[in-house]
Amino acid sequence: MTADRSSGPALAVVGATGAVGSVLLPILSQRADVWGDIRLIASARSAGRVLAVRGEEAEVLALTEDAFEGFGPGDVVIFLTPPEISAQWAPVVTTRGAVAVDQSAAFREDPEVPLVVPEVNAHAVRIRPRGIVAGPDCVTAAMIAAVGALHAEYALADLGVSSYQAASAAGRAGSEALRRQLSLVAGTDLGEKPGDVRRAVGEDTGPFAGPLALNVLPWSGELREGGWSSHELAVRAETRRILELPDLPVAVTCVQVPVLAGHSLTVRARFENRVDAAHAREILEGAPGVVLVDDPAAGEFPTPADAAGTDPAWVGRVRASLDDDHALEFFVCADNLRKGAALNATQISELIAGESA
Amino acid sequence: MTADRSSGPALAVVGATGAVGSVLLPILSQRADVWGDIRLIASARSAGRVLAVRGEEAEVLALTEDAFEGFGPGDVVIFLTPPEISAQWAPVVTTRGAVAVDQSAAFREDPEVPLVVPEVNAHAVRIRPRGIVAGPDCVTAAMIAAVGALHAEYALADLGVSSYQAASAAGRAGSEALRRQLSLVAGTDLGEKPGDVRRAVGEDTGPFAGPLALNVLPWSGELREGGWSSHELAVRAETRRILELPDLPVAVTCVQVPVLAGHSLTVRARFENRVDAAHAREILEGAPGVVLVDDPAAGEFPTPADAAGTDPAWVGRVRASLDDDHALEFFVCADNLRKGAALNATQISELIAGESA
Ligand SMILES: NC(=O)c1ccc[n+]([C@@H]2O[C@H](COP(=O)([O-])OP(=O)(O)OC[C@H]3O[C@@H](n4cnc5c(N)ncnc54)[C@H](OP(=O)(O)O)[C@@H]3O)[C@@H](O)[C@H]2O)c1
Ligand SMILES: NC(=O)c1ccc[n+]([C@@H]2O[C@H](COP(=O)([O-])OP(=O)(O)OC[C@H]3O[C@@H](n4cnc5c(N)ncnc54)[C@H](OP(=O)(O)O)[C@@H]3O)[C@@H](O)[C@H]2O)c1
């Protein structure tokens, strides 16, 4: 097998069968087609499955050296895999001269791997000493375009974030666990008495640290020093990297909610400069990748149900602090599978394809 | 009908049939019995219904002047009714010399009505020029004991709150709407595509500003200046009143989540003094009305499913800011029907009963 580069660079999608992969394939079909060959790869479990991309059927290959045969300089491999798989296989791809675009956590803190959200720091994609480009965590991705646009105007001084995270951030296993739990509690009179939800859901809470149906869980990731979770520290570190503000104070609390798709965040941002809510709304309206929905009297505010399946970050509830004329509050929703992963990886890959065009 | 005061002051519960009322009656049965007569009152729709309290059956009376016959000085009437009903009927009760304890929003901003959470400002109950005592909103109630205890040690300088509010805060209508919506989406493959949830739930979203199943809604209350909601401003005003910090900077974002019972909040608190997370945990462990559950590695953090049906505010995820040695983050859950309403009203009423004892 050799990659056909006559109509553009070749693209491989590793993890094509996962929650993010299943969203990425239709995105490839919808966007301007810059690719020659597109190759779909997953674990040996999925080898031989047939998936549709760009209106054609493609057979899923098992992840082996052979799957990348013919790949070389100018080609791109997107990794939508667990971090340990990305860590193992991205170097295999770069050895061939192809660029690896990874949406896992494997390389996000590697100083030699740029961490890119094209709306904010597209320029960073070109400096990639290891031939690898990383995309951010889905919580960072949901807010960074809005925060970045406000930062460009007002100079960010302090950021506080509380998340309302969807179950699909934990992949197919996350969505399935929430659906199963909802079936157990819906249609019952459970949910208002002590222990109700835990008893109904049972021990098998899937990838979550407790029952998620009719509940919220203030935990995702692993425990780090000071009681912080790895996920909270990651959002802090990534925000600092992408905005190139290495000392920015950032406080994050990550909370999982019983939503299938679409992350929501409350954001409090303090700036070096005075803010004005009306002007902030104008900035957000003009920001790439951001759509403003901010007319609560008319029922217009972002919700994850409305953000699910769409590309932008939806921003609303923009308010100036009543006590601090340097601070803004807002609410943002974005599809964790799209802007949080599949769309961002596609956008990065298109930037790389554009370099050789 | 005359109230039998031989074994203590008489108590009337107006709104005994509602979401809060249904939780208050069992609370009365469980606590030390300080009451003589207990009279249950609701709308004419409920007159004649028979409810159990203190192990005996009691017939619900319609809310009329006659329902308070025999009530006078030393007696207490708890209002668990819509604010307009409380506003109309509390003065009727106080004219007789009885004390009105109101858990609606009717009097919370009245400077002549003390706003009381017994764990924090029990002393305020005694100064009640109008003969009325108010309890706080359920979001304020969830956090104020923890925040108050930390304030006593460190002197609060700034408060930021994001809520994760349960549907039962909107009364029986709220719980019923969420249960109905969950039945429509559970067991389907809906929830990850644009418009899915809105289509499944339809136009009838009950007391909410949109569909709540598989969704979160960053809105509760009415629109006020600057894009703030009346609910957000109420939490700010109540926190200032109860802590007696009239200039405290407070930023609140109120968000409804698909949980039946139990409010959750992320809290960021900045203090005049330096903080220490270990010492803060000790303070919280000793704070009345607060229970600390803070061992995330062992899966121990507060959740609304565990807080539902219990009395205290459950606090966890206590972390010192990584960037500001005067700031703490934490997460708190409390049953909105209990500490947020029924329990608080009972505690206030017991303080008043104790005055004449
Ligand atoms: N879900 C989100 O919202 C989101 C957002 C941002 C970033 N991410 C990151 O993106 C990555 C994928 O997430 P996901 O949610 O799509 O997870 P997922 O639903 O569990 O899918 C995992 C994918 O990786 C493949 N895979 C697993 N083990 C493999 C192996 N040993 N060899 C080859 N392929 C293997 C799976 O193939 P099989 O089907 O053959 O098992 C599947 O295609 C993760 O690193 C995740 O942290 C996810
Ligand atoms: N739910 C919470 O978490 C919570 C927390 C803090 C404060 N509160 C406040 O507590 C109050 C009650 O809330 P809820 O959640 O229990 O509401 P609910 O479930 O709707 O119950 C309302 C109660 O008020 C009675 N009522 C309504 N209209 C009446 C009228 N015209 N005359 C006499 N009684 C009337 C109802 O009687 P019928 O059954 O006869 O209609 C019922 O007992 C509200 O002000 C609410 O804001 C609620």
Side-chain angles (χ1 to χ4, degrees), chain B residues 15-21 42-43 45-46 63 80-83 85 103-105 108 136-138 168-172 336-337 340-341:
Chain B
T17 55
V20 179
S43 81
R45 293 179 292 278
S46 302
L63 178 57
L80 310 170
T81 39
I85 304 296
Q103 269 297 146
S104 85
R108 287 178 190 146
D137 172 80
C138 41
S168 60
R172 284 172 316 191
N336 49 296
L337 298 171

PDB file of all heavy atoms in Angstrom, chain B residues 15-21 42-43 45-46 63 80-83 85 103-105 108 136-138 168-172 336-337 340-341, ligand 2:
ATOM      1  N   GLY B  15     -48.412  25.713  53.576  1.00  0.00           N
ATOM      2  CA  GLY B  15     -47.674  25.116  52.468  1.00  0.00           C
ATOM      3  C   GLY B  15     -47.221  23.713  52.830  1.00  0.00           C
ATOM      4  O   GLY B  15     -46.229  23.211  52.308  1.00  0.00           O
ATOM      5  N   ALA B  16     -47.990  23.071  53.724  1.00  0.00           N
ATOM      6  CA  ALA B  16     -47.604  21.740  54.234  1.00  0.00           C
ATOM      7  C   ALA B  16     -47.608  20.681  53.141  1.00  0.00           C
ATOM      8  O   ALA B  16     -46.982  19.629  53.290  1.00  0.00           O
ATOM      9  CB  ALA B  16     -48.556  21.323  55.361  1.00  0.00           C
ATOM     10  N   THR B  17     -48.301  20.937  52.047  1.00  0.00           N
ATOM     11  CA  THR B  17     -48.439  19.934  50.984  1.00  0.00           C
ATOM     12  C   THR B  17     -47.397  20.068  49.885  1.00  0.00           C
ATOM     13  O   THR B  17     -47.362  19.256  48.956  1.00  0.00           O
ATOM     14  CB  THR B  17     -49.830  20.063  50.336  1.00  0.00           C
ATOM     15  OG1 THR B  17     -49.969  21.444  49.907  1.00  0.00           O
ATOM     16  CG2 THR B  17     -50.937  19.717  51.303  1.00  0.00           C
ATOM     17  N   GLY B  18     -46.547  21.104  49.935  1.00  0.00           N
ATOM     18  CA  GLY B  18     -45.598  21.353  48.840  1.00  0.00           C
ATOM     19  C   GLY B  18     -44.332  20.521  48.969  1.00  0.00           C
ATOM     20  O   GLY B  18     -44.221  19.659  49.852  1.00  0.00           O
ATOM     21  N   ALA B  19     -43.375  20.795  48.076  1.00  0.00           N
ATOM     22  CA  ALA B  19     -42.112  20.053  48.087  1.00  0.00           C
ATOM     23  C   ALA B  19     -41.401  20.251  49.424  1.00  0.00           C
ATOM     24  O   ALA B  19     -40.921  19.290  50.033  1.00  0.00           O
ATOM     25  CB  ALA B  19     -41.214  20.517  46.927  1.00  0.00           C
ATOM     26  N   VAL B  20     -41.338  21.482  49.911  1.00  0.00           N
ATOM     27  CA  VAL B  20     -40.669  21.746  51.183  1.00  0.00           C
ATOM     28  C   VAL B  20     -41.523  21.238  52.342  1.00  0.00           C
ATOM     29  O   VAL B  20     -41.022  20.586  53.271  1.00  0.00           O
ATOM     30  CB  VAL B  20     -40.364  23.255  51.347  1.00  0.00           C
ATOM     31  CG1 VAL B  20     -39.696  23.513  52.697  1.00  0.00           C
ATOM     32  CG2 VAL B  20     -39.474  23.757  50.214  1.00  0.00           C
ATOM     33  N   GLY B  21     -42.829  21.477  52.277  1.00  0.00           N
ATOM     34  CA  GLY B  21     -43.732  21.024  53.333  1.00  0.00           C
ATOM     35  C   GLY B  21     -43.650  19.521  53.546  1.00  0.00           C
ATOM     36  O   GLY B  21     -43.625  19.033  54.687  1.00  0.00           O
ATOM     37  N   ALA B  42     -52.792  24.664  53.680  1.00  0.00           N
ATOM     38  CA  ALA B  42     -52.355  24.794  52.280  1.00  0.00           C
ATOM     39  C   ALA B  42     -53.458  25.540  51.526  1.00  0.00           C
ATOM     40  O   ALA B  42     -54.280  26.224  52.142  1.00  0.00           O
ATOM     41  CB  ALA B  42     -52.058  23.433  51.661  1.00  0.00           C
ATOM     42  N   SER B  43     -53.461  25.415  50.218  1.00  0.00           N
ATOM     43  CA  SER B  43     -54.507  26.102  49.456  1.00  0.00           C
ATOM     44  C   SER B  43     -55.833  25.358  49.619  1.00  0.00           C
ATOM     45  O   SER B  43     -55.862  24.218  50.091  1.00  0.00           O
ATOM     46  CB  SER B  43     -54.137  26.168  47.978  1.00  0.00           C
ATOM     47  OG  SER B  43     -54.453  24.941  47.358  1.00  0.00           O
ATOM     48  N   ARG B  45     -57.357  23.941  47.457  1.00  0.00           N
ATOM     49  CA  ARG B  45     -57.264  22.700  46.680  1.00  0.00           C
ATOM     50  C   ARG B  45     -56.928  21.498  47.558  1.00  0.00           C
ATOM     51  O   ARG B  45     -57.311  20.371  47.260  1.00  0.00           O
ATOM     52  CB  ARG B  45     -56.132  22.810  45.637  1.00  0.00           C
ATOM     53  CG  ARG B  45     -56.354  23.800  44.522  1.00  0.00           C
ATOM     54  CD  ARG B  45     -55.149  23.823  43.560  1.00  0.00           C
ATOM     55  NE  ARG B  45     -53.924  24.384  44.153  1.00  0.00           N
ATOM     56  CZ  ARG B  45     -53.663  25.679  44.243  1.00  0.00           C
ATOM     57  NH1 ARG B  45     -54.528  26.563  43.769  1.00  0.00           N
ATOM     58  NH2 ARG B  45     -52.536  26.103  44.797  1.00  0.00           N
ATOM     59  N   SER B  46     -56.173  21.739  48.616  1.00  0.00           N
ATOM     60  CA  SER B  46     -55.697  20.625  49.451  1.00  0.00           C
ATOM     61  C   SER B  46     -56.519  20.430  50.715  1.00  0.00           C
ATOM     62  O   SER B  46     -56.258  19.488  51.479  1.00  0.00           O
ATOM     63  CB  SER B  46     -54.240  20.872  49.863  1.00  0.00           C
ATOM     64  OG  SER B  46     -53.435  21.015  48.725  1.00  0.00           O
ATOM     65  N   LEU B  63     -56.159  27.901  53.636  1.00  0.00           N
ATOM     66  CA  LEU B  63     -55.584  29.138  54.168  1.00  0.00           C
ATOM     67  C   LEU B  63     -56.659  30.228  54.228  1.00  0.00           C
ATOM     68  O   LEU B  63     -57.027  30.819  53.213  1.00  0.00           O
ATOM     69  CB  LEU B  63     -54.412  29.582  53.279  1.00  0.00           C
ATOM     70  CG  LEU B  63     -53.720  30.894  53.660  1.00  0.00           C
ATOM     71  CD1 LEU B  63     -53.207  30.862  55.089  1.00  0.00           C
ATOM     72  CD2 LEU B  63     -52.579  31.186  52.695  1.00  0.00           C
ATOM     73  N   LEU B  80     -44.272  28.130  53.843  1.00  0.00           N
ATOM     74  CA  LEU B  80     -43.548  27.428  52.775  1.00  0.00           C
ATOM     75  C   LEU B  80     -44.383  27.588  51.509  1.00  0.00           C
ATOM     76  O   LEU B  80     -44.815  26.612  50.903  1.00  0.00           O
ATOM     77  CB  LEU B  80     -43.378  25.955  53.144  1.00  0.00           C
ATOM     78  CG  LEU B  80     -42.806  25.678  54.539  1.00  0.00           C
ATOM     79  CD1 LEU B  80     -42.909  24.196  54.877  1.00  0.00           C
ATOM     80  CD2 LEU B  80     -41.361  26.148  54.616  1.00  0.00           C
ATOM     81  N   THR B  81     -44.619  28.827  51.175  1.00  0.00           N
ATOM     82  CA  THR B  81     -45.592  29.176  50.133  1.00  0.00           C
ATOM     83  C   THR B  81     -44.945  30.105  49.109  1.00  0.00           C
ATOM     84  O   THR B  81     -43.880  30.674  49.367  1.00  0.00           O
ATOM     85  CB  THR B  81     -46.776  29.914  50.788  1.00  0.00           C
ATOM     86  OG1 THR B  81     -46.271  30.774  51.808  1.00  0.00           O
ATOM     87  CG2 THR B  81     -47.757  28.945  51.409  1.00  0.00           C
ATOM     88  N   PRO B  82     -45.577  30.289  47.949  1.00  0.00           N
ATOM     89  CA  PRO B  82     -45.057  31.286  46.995  1.00  0.00           C
ATOM     90  C   PRO B  82     -44.961  32.654  47.692  1.00  0.00           C
ATOM     91  O   PRO B  82     -45.753  32.954  48.601  1.00  0.00           O
ATOM     92  CB  PRO B  82     -46.109  31.287  45.884  1.00  0.00           C
ATOM     93  CG  PRO B  82     -46.782  29.945  45.974  1.00  0.00           C
ATOM     94  CD  PRO B  82     -46.765  29.588  47.437  1.00  0.00           C
ATOM     95  N   PRO B  83     -43.993  33.487  47.276  1.00  0.00           N
ATOM     96  CA  PRO B  83     -43.745  34.752  47.991  1.00  0.00           C
ATOM     97  C   PRO B  83     -44.979  35.654  48.113  1.00  0.00           C
ATOM     98  O   PRO B  83     -45.156  36.303  49.149  1.00  0.00           O
ATOM     99  CB  PRO B  83     -42.641  35.432  47.159  1.00  0.00           C
ATOM    100  CG  PRO B  83     -42.346  34.541  46.002  1.00  0.00           C
ATOM    101  CD  PRO B  83     -43.025  33.243  46.204  1.00  0.00           C
ATOM    102  N   ILE B  85     -48.019  34.777  48.519  1.00  0.00           N
ATOM    103  CA  ILE B  85     -48.883  34.259  49.602  1.00  0.00           C
ATOM    104  C   ILE B  85     -48.272  34.614  50.956  1.00  0.00           C
ATOM    105  O   ILE B  85     -48.962  35.075  51.875  1.00  0.00           O
ATOM    106  CB  ILE B  85     -49.053  32.725  49.470  1.00  0.00           C
ATOM    107  CG1 ILE B  85     -49.603  32.351  48.096  1.00  0.00           C
ATOM    108  CG2 ILE B  85     -49.930  32.162  50.587  1.00  0.00           C
ATOM    109  CD1 ILE B  85     -50.983  32.867  47.814  1.00  0.00           C
ATOM    110  N   GLN B 103     -39.956  31.065  54.498  1.00  0.00           N
ATOM    111  CA  GLN B 103     -38.858  30.551  53.670  1.00  0.00           C
ATOM    112  C   GLN B 103     -38.986  30.989  52.215  1.00  0.00           C
ATOM    113  O   GLN B 103     -38.213  30.545  51.372  1.00  0.00           O
ATOM    114  CB  GLN B 103     -38.806  29.020  53.755  1.00  0.00           C
ATOM    115  CG  GLN B 103     -37.921  28.455  54.855  1.00  0.00           C
ATOM    116  CD  GLN B 103     -36.426  28.770  54.752  1.00  0.00           C
ATOM    117  OE1 GLN B 103     -35.758  28.937  55.774  1.00  0.00           O
ATOM    118  NE2 GLN B 103     -35.887  28.885  53.534  1.00  0.00           N
ATOM    119  N   SER B 104     -39.912  31.869  51.894  1.00  0.00           N
ATOM    120  CA  SER B 104     -39.994  32.387  50.519  1.00  0.00           C
ATOM    121  C   SER B 104     -39.112  33.622  50.391  1.00  0.00           C
ATOM    122  O   SER B 104     -38.472  34.058  51.346  1.00  0.00           O
ATOM    123  CB  SER B 104     -41.435  32.758  50.181  1.00  0.00           C
ATOM    124  OG  SER B 104     -41.725  34.078  50.642  1.00  0.00           O
ATOM    125  N   ALA B 105     -39.083  34.190  49.206  1.00  0.00           N
ATOM    126  CA  ALA B 105     -38.255  35.382  48.947  1.00  0.00           C
ATOM    127  C   ALA B 105     -38.934  36.675  49.391  1.00  0.00           C
ATOM    128  O   ALA B 105     -38.359  37.751  49.254  1.00  0.00           O
ATOM    129  CB  ALA B 105     -37.921  35.456  47.455  1.00  0.00           C
ATOM    130  N   ARG B 108     -36.827  38.634  52.338  1.00  0.00           N
ATOM    131  CA  ARG B 108     -35.381  38.434  52.550  1.00  0.00           C
ATOM    132  C   ARG B 108     -34.578  39.718  52.451  1.00  0.00           C
ATOM    133  O   ARG B 108     -33.477  39.795  52.971  1.00  0.00           O
ATOM    134  CB  ARG B 108     -34.838  37.413  51.548  1.00  0.00           C
ATOM    135  CG  ARG B 108     -35.270  36.000  51.859  1.00  0.00           C
ATOM    136  CD  ARG B 108     -34.744  35.029  50.807  1.00  0.00           C
ATOM    137  NE  ARG B 108     -35.340  33.706  50.968  1.00  0.00           N
ATOM    138  CZ  ARG B 108     -35.615  32.881  49.957  1.00  0.00           C
ATOM    139  NH1 ARG B 108     -35.351  33.241  48.713  1.00  0.00           N
ATOM    140  NH2 ARG B 108     -36.160  31.712  50.191  1.00  0.00           N
ATOM    141  N   PRO B 136     -33.056  31.989  54.192  1.00  0.00           N
ATOM    142  CA  PRO B 136     -32.429  32.374  52.923  1.00  0.00           C
ATOM    143  C   PRO B 136     -32.863  31.498  51.754  1.00  0.00           C
ATOM    144  O   PRO B 136     -33.506  30.459  51.940  1.00  0.00           O
ATOM    145  CB  PRO B 136     -30.950  32.147  53.198  1.00  0.00           C
ATOM    146  CG  PRO B 136     -30.944  30.976  54.113  1.00  0.00           C
ATOM    147  CD  PRO B 136     -32.158  31.164  54.999  1.00  0.00           C
ATOM    148  N   ASP B 137     -32.458  31.911  50.586  1.00  0.00           N
ATOM    149  CA  ASP B 137     -32.544  31.112  49.378  1.00  0.00           C
ATOM    150  C   ASP B 137     -31.713  29.842  49.543  1.00  0.00           C
ATOM    151  O   ASP B 137     -30.731  29.819  50.303  1.00  0.00           O
ATOM    152  CB  ASP B 137     -31.981  31.957  48.240  1.00  0.00           C
ATOM    153  CG  ASP B 137     -31.838  31.150  46.989  1.00  0.00           C
ATOM    154  OD1 ASP B 137     -32.840  30.965  46.306  1.00  0.00           O
ATOM    155  OD2 ASP B 137     -30.716  30.667  46.721  1.00  0.00           O
ATOM    156  N   CYS B 138     -32.070  28.802  48.799  1.00  0.00           N
ATOM    157  CA  CYS B 138     -31.425  27.504  48.983  1.00  0.00           C
ATOM    158  C   CYS B 138     -29.974  27.479  48.514  1.00  0.00           C
ATOM    159  O   CYS B 138     -29.194  26.649  49.001  1.00  0.00           O
ATOM    160  CB  CYS B 138     -32.242  26.388  48.338  1.00  0.00           C
ATOM    161  SG  CYS B 138     -32.950  26.777  46.730  1.00  0.00           S
ATOM    162  N   SER B 168     -35.783  20.260  42.193  1.00  0.00           N
ATOM    163  CA  SER B 168     -36.793  20.421  43.239  1.00  0.00           C
ATOM    164  C   SER B 168     -36.763  21.803  43.872  1.00  0.00           C
ATOM    165  O   SER B 168     -37.667  22.137  44.649  1.00  0.00           O
ATOM    166  CB  SER B 168     -36.636  19.340  44.319  1.00  0.00           C
ATOM    167  OG  SER B 168     -35.361  19.430  44.915  1.00  0.00           O
ATOM    168  N   ALA B 169     -35.744  22.613  43.554  1.00  0.00           N
ATOM    169  CA  ALA B 169     -35.767  24.002  44.003  1.00  0.00           C
ATOM    170  C   ALA B 169     -36.952  24.740  43.386  1.00  0.00           C
ATOM    171  O   ALA B 169     -37.399  25.756  43.925  1.00  0.00           O
ATOM    172  CB  ALA B 169     -34.473  24.707  43.639  1.00  0.00           C
ATOM    173  N   ALA B 170     -37.450  24.252  42.274  1.00  0.00           N
ATOM    174  CA  ALA B 170     -38.645  24.836  41.667  1.00  0.00           C
ATOM    175  C   ALA B 170     -39.905  24.109  42.151  1.00  0.00           C
ATOM    176  O   ALA B 170     -40.940  24.116  41.481  1.00  0.00           O
ATOM    177  CB  ALA B 170     -38.544  24.805  40.145  1.00  0.00           C
ATOM    178  N   GLY B 171     -39.825  23.489  43.323  1.00  0.00           N
ATOM    179  CA  GLY B 171     -40.998  22.873  43.943  1.00  0.00           C
ATOM    180  C   GLY B 171     -41.402  21.568  43.278  1.00  0.00           C
ATOM    181  O   GLY B 171     -40.648  20.998  42.489  1.00  0.00           O
ATOM    182  N   ARG B 172     -42.615  21.116  43.616  1.00  0.00           N
ATOM    183  CA  ARG B 172     -43.099  19.861  43.018  1.00  0.00           C
ATOM    184  C   ARG B 172     -43.105  19.948  41.506  1.00  0.00           C
ATOM    185  O   ARG B 172     -42.807  18.987  40.804  1.00  0.00           O
ATOM    186  CB  ARG B 172     -44.516  19.553  43.520  1.00  0.00           C
ATOM    187  CG  ARG B 172     -44.563  19.020  44.942  1.00  0.00           C
ATOM    188  CD  ARG B 172     -45.998  18.936  45.409  1.00  0.00           C
ATOM    189  NE  ARG B 172     -46.693  20.169  45.002  1.00  0.00           N
ATOM    190  CZ  ARG B 172     -47.883  20.548  45.410  1.00  0.00           C
ATOM    191  NH1 ARG B 172     -48.565  19.791  46.240  1.00  0.00           N
ATOM    192  NH2 ARG B 172     -48.402  21.675  44.991  1.00  0.00           N
ATOM    193  N   ASN B 336     -31.456  21.005  49.139  1.00  0.00           N
ATOM    194  CA  ASN B 336     -32.154  22.291  49.004  1.00  0.00           C
ATOM    195  C   ASN B 336     -33.492  22.291  49.723  1.00  0.00           C
ATOM    196  O   ASN B 336     -33.969  23.339  50.157  1.00  0.00           O
ATOM    197  CB  ASN B 336     -32.367  22.627  47.525  1.00  0.00           C
ATOM    198  CG  ASN B 336     -32.970  21.475  46.742  1.00  0.00           C
ATOM    199  OD1 ASN B 336     -32.354  20.419  46.606  1.00  0.00           O
ATOM    200  ND2 ASN B 336     -34.179  21.667  46.246  1.00  0.00           N
ATOM    201  N   LEU B 337     -34.120  21.107  49.858  1.00  0.00           N
ATOM    202  CA  LEU B 337     -35.411  21.059  50.542  1.00  0.00           C
ATOM    203  C   LEU B 337     -35.248  21.057  52.061  1.00  0.00           C
ATOM    204  O   LEU B 337     -36.140  21.481  52.782  1.00  0.00           O
ATOM    205  CB  LEU B 337     -36.205  19.818  50.111  1.00  0.00           C
ATOM    206  CG  LEU B 337     -36.575  19.753  48.625  1.00  0.00           C
ATOM    207  CD1 LEU B 337     -37.160  18.386  48.284  1.00  0.00           C
ATOM    208  CD2 LEU B 337     -37.562  20.851  48.266  1.00  0.00           C
ATOM    209  N   GLY B 340     -31.802  23.924  52.836  1.00  0.00           N
ATOM    210  CA  GLY B 340     -32.215  25.053  52.006  1.00  0.00           C
ATOM    211  C   GLY B 340     -33.596  25.582  52.319  1.00  0.00           C
ATOM    212  O   GLY B 340     -33.989  26.619  51.802  1.00  0.00           O
ATOM    213  N   ALA B 341     -34.354  24.910  53.178  1.00  0.00           N
ATOM    214  CA  ALA B 341     -35.721  25.383  53.410  1.00  0.00           C
ATOM    215  C   ALA B 341     -36.320  24.775  54.685  1.00  0.00           C
ATOM    216  O   ALA B 341     -36.379  25.436  55.727  1.00  0.00           O
ATOM    217  CB  ALA B 341     -36.603  25.084  52.197  1.00  0.00           C
TER     218      ALA B 341
HETATM  219  N1  LIG C   2     -37.917  23.905  46.870  1.00  0.00           N
HETATM  220  C1  LIG C   2     -36.842  24.423  47.445  1.00  0.00           C
HETATM  221  O1  LIG C   2     -35.736  23.878  47.354  1.00  0.00           O
HETATM  222  C2  LIG C   2     -36.958  25.717  48.224  1.00  0.00           C
HETATM  223  C3  LIG C   2     -35.835  26.154  48.923  1.00  0.00           C
HETATM  224  C4  LIG C   2     -35.893  27.368  49.628  1.00  0.00           C
HETATM  225  C5  LIG C   2     -37.061  28.094  49.596  1.00  0.00           C
HETATM  226  N2  LIG C   2     -38.129  27.654  48.889  1.00  0.00           N
HETATM  227  C6  LIG C   2     -39.338  28.472  48.888  1.00  0.00           C
HETATM  228  O2  LIG C   2     -40.315  27.815  49.676  1.00  0.00           O
HETATM  229  C7  LIG C   2     -41.618  28.073  49.156  1.00  0.00           C
HETATM  230  C8  LIG C   2     -42.324  26.752  48.870  1.00  0.00           C
HETATM  231  O3  LIG C   2     -41.550  26.050  47.888  1.00  0.00           O
HETATM  232  P1  LIG C   2     -41.913  24.578  47.387  1.00  0.00           P
HETATM  233  O4  LIG C   2     -40.731  24.179  46.608  1.00  0.00           O
HETATM  234  O5  LIG C   2     -42.387  23.727  48.491  1.00  0.00           O
HETATM  235  O6  LIG C   2     -43.142  24.883  46.378  1.00  0.00           O
HETATM  236  P2  LIG C   2     -44.331  23.913  45.924  1.00  0.00           P
HETATM  237  O7  LIG C   2     -43.898  22.503  45.881  1.00  0.00           O
HETATM  238  O8  LIG C   2     -44.883  24.517  44.696  1.00  0.00           O
HETATM  239  O9  LIG C   2     -45.397  24.044  47.114  1.00  0.00           O
HETATM  240  C9  LIG C   2     -46.114  25.257  47.327  1.00  0.00           C
HETATM  241  C10 LIG C   2     -46.948  25.160  48.606  1.00  0.00           C
HETATM  242  O10 LIG C   2     -47.640  26.415  48.754  1.00  0.00           O
HETATM  243  C11 LIG C   2     -49.045  26.159  48.793  1.00  0.00           C
HETATM  244  N3  LIG C   2     -49.799  27.215  48.102  1.00  0.00           N
HETATM  245  C12 LIG C   2     -49.672  27.608  46.812  1.00  0.00           C
HETATM  246  N4  LIG C   2     -50.567  28.578  46.536  1.00  0.00           N
HETATM  247  C13 LIG C   2     -51.281  28.767  47.670  1.00  0.00           C
HETATM  248  C14 LIG C   2     -52.372  29.604  48.017  1.00  0.00           C
HETATM  249  N5  LIG C   2     -52.896  30.445  47.128  1.00  0.00           N
HETATM  250  N6  LIG C   2     -52.852  29.538  49.285  1.00  0.00           N
HETATM  251  C15 LIG C   2     -52.332  28.684  50.186  1.00  0.00           C
HETATM  252  N7  LIG C   2     -51.288  27.858  49.918  1.00  0.00           N
HETATM  253  C16 LIG C   2     -50.785  27.899  48.674  1.00  0.00           C
HETATM  254  C17 LIG C   2     -49.229  24.843  48.074  1.00  0.00           C
HETATM  255  O11 LIG C   2     -50.455  24.255  48.464  1.00  0.00           O
HETATM  256  P3  LIG C   2     -51.279  23.266  47.483  1.00  0.00           P
HETATM  257  O12 LIG C   2     -50.581  21.927  47.555  1.00  0.00           O
HETATM  258  O13 LIG C   2     -52.636  23.248  48.088  1.00  0.00           O
HETATM  259  O14 LIG C   2     -51.227  23.877  46.113  1.00  0.00           O
HETATM  260  C18 LIG C   2     -48.006  24.070  48.555  1.00  0.00           C
HETATM  261  O15 LIG C   2     -48.226  23.562  49.835  1.00  0.00           O
HETATM  262  C19 LIG C   2     -41.416  28.947  47.918  1.00  0.00           C
HETATM  263  O16 LIG C   2     -41.512  30.303  48.240  1.00  0.00           O
HETATM  264  C20 LIG C   2     -39.984  28.626  47.536  1.00  0.00           C
HETATM  265  O17 LIG C   2     -39.363  29.655  46.803  1.00  0.00           O
HETATM  266  C21 LIG C   2     -38.103  26.468  48.218  1.00  0.00           C
END
